[in-house]
Amino acid sequence: MNALLSRLQWYLKLVRLDKPIGIVLLLWPTLIALWLATDGAPDGKLVAIFCLGTALMRSAGCAVNDYADREFDKHVKRTADRPLTSGKVSGKEALLIALVLSLLAFSLILPLNALTKQLSILAVVIAATYPYFKRFFGIPQAYLGIAYGFGIPMAFAAVQNTVPWTAWMLLVANVFWTVAYDTEYAMVDRDDDLKIGIKTSAITFGQFDVKAIMLCYVVSLAMITLIGYSYGLRSWFFAGIAVAAACAIYHYNLIKDRDRMRCFAAFRHNNWLGAAIFAGVAVDYVLH
């Protein structure tokens, strides 16, 4: 019994259920899309499907990412003791777990329309190929932003059976936001990544890393503001954007000296930035 529980603990660590920050960073843009697509009145079952599906796909993505990076992670301080790298979980187990979680996520959307299913397949392909972009693409965080934001077009497809231009704009805005917060994350591992040859935005941006992060925040928040305005959102939405902007300024104060732990704190704090935007959208719909 103890052996089984120990095994389950390693599986939970593999899919990062002990670190849910990744789930909420995927969830906020997806929920924003659901609220916009339904004029602030999403069906409860649909919300449950996307929330659970987001958690499952993020977990599957973590397993695939660790499998792809298993030889690199052993050379990085922060990742050297991960289940796969440390040998506690095998590569076959990681791939099997990723497959099972992906199938469970797909089973959730079986009641939805064909367009949503088609987009989900594309989402899986993007999530599975992301880890390999770090081998050759200078800003893999941009590709990650597509993977992390693909719940946006799927949400619109599930509700409207089409994906309007505003959904694609919201996806682009999410790419800029992801580049911002994941560059903060990459700044933590920059020294190790330079040694092993992994490409990240923190390395590509170099001495302009902090400026690039803040520019990405500005572009993302500006795009989201325009999108919300086009949907008729006003005072409470703008209040949410203002709080999100304040969060971004706080992140600047954390990352400006490039201290590893403060950069990691800035990354984690993006949960509140996303929550502020979603709260602004949801409250504005309720009150107006």
Side-chain angles (χ1 to χ4, degrees):
M1 188 65 178
N2 289 335
L4 178 60
L5 289 175
S6 177
R7 202 74 189 155
L8 287 174
Q9 287 180 339
W10 284 114
Y11 289 160
L12 292 177
K13 288 182 179 180
L14 173 70
V15 300
R16 312 279 206 284
L17 285 184
D18 59 326
K19 298 176 180 178
I21 179 64
I23 294 175
V24 293
L25 290 176
L26 271 77
L27 199 55
W28 294 131
T30 302
L31 291 177
I32 290 169
L34 274 175
W35 257 250
L36 292 177
T38 60
D39 290 327
D43 180 80
K45 291 182 180 178
L46 198 59
V47 173
I49 287 172
F50 274 90
C51 285
L52 184 54
T54 295
L56 289 170
M57 284 308 301
R58 186 262 181 170
S59 298
C62 287
V64 172
N65 183 78
D66 282 11
Y67 177 81
D69 288 350
R70 61 194 184 282
E71 296 301 324
F72 293 103
D73 282 348
K74 64 180 65 175
H75 302 291
V76 179
K77 299 172 187 175
R78 186 180 49 80
T79 60
D81 61 346
R82 282 181 174 174
L84 215 160
T85 307
S86 62
K88 301 297 183 180
V89 176
S90 70
K92 289 183 179 179
E93 286 177 299
L95 292 178
L96 180 60
I97 289 170
L99 177 61
V100 170
L101 292 174
S102 297
L103 291 174
L104 286 173
F106 186 76
S107 70
L108 291 174
I109 65 169
L110 288 178
L112 306 182
N113 56 46
L115 178 59
T116 308
K117 296 186 183 74
Q118 292 165 4
L119 289 172
S120 74
I121 295 173
L122 182 56
V124 170
V125 172
I126 294 171
T129 54
Y130 158 69
Y132 298 96
F133 265 63
K134 290 179 284 187
R135 311 293 197 270
F136 63 90
F137 189 46
I139 309 178
Q141 282 75 11
Y143 195 71
L144 178 66
I146 299 173
Y148 267 28
F150 222 75
I152 294 169
M154 286 180 62
F156 275 91
V159 175
Q160 301 179 1
N161 201 26
T162 187
V163 184
W165 68 270
T166 48
W168 297 117
M169 277 192 65
L170 191 58
L171 178 58
V172 173
N174 189 73
V175 169
F176 278 98
W177 181 37
T178 306
V179 172
Y181 67 66
D182 210 60
T183 300
E184 294 168 346
Y185 189 70
M187 289 167 73
V188 178
D189 298 329
R190 177 158 41 197
D191 293 341
D192 291 324
D193 289 338
L194 280 168
K195 293 177 183 177
I196 61 180
I198 288 289
K199 295 184 181 298
T200 72
S201 54
I203 294 173
T204 300
F205 293 146
Q207 62 180 323
F208 302 106
D209 50 1
V210 175
K211 292 180 180 178
I213 288 169
M214 298 314 297
L215 178 61
C216 285
Y217 276 133
V218 169
V219 173
S220 179
L221 291 175
M223 292 184 70
I224 294 171
T225 300
L226 290 173
I227 293 166
Y229 185 83
S230 72
Y231 275 85
L233 301 178
R234 294 297 184 265
S235 57
W236 288 101
F237 168 68
F238 293 142
I241 292 293
V243 172
C247 288
I249 294 171
Y250 172 62
H251 298 169
Y252 170 77
N253 287 312
L254 287 174
I255 68 176
K256 62 182 181 181
D257 296 322
R258 299 176 176 83
D259 177 80
R260 292 178 73 251
M261 290 300 98
R262 288 170 67 84
C263 288
F264 188 63
F267 160 73
R268 289 178 57 84
H269 195 265
N270 276 275
N271 168 46
W272 297 107
L273 190 154
I277 298 173
F278 171 69
V281 171
V283 173
D284 203 273
Y285 271 121
V286 169
L287 298 181
H288 293 110

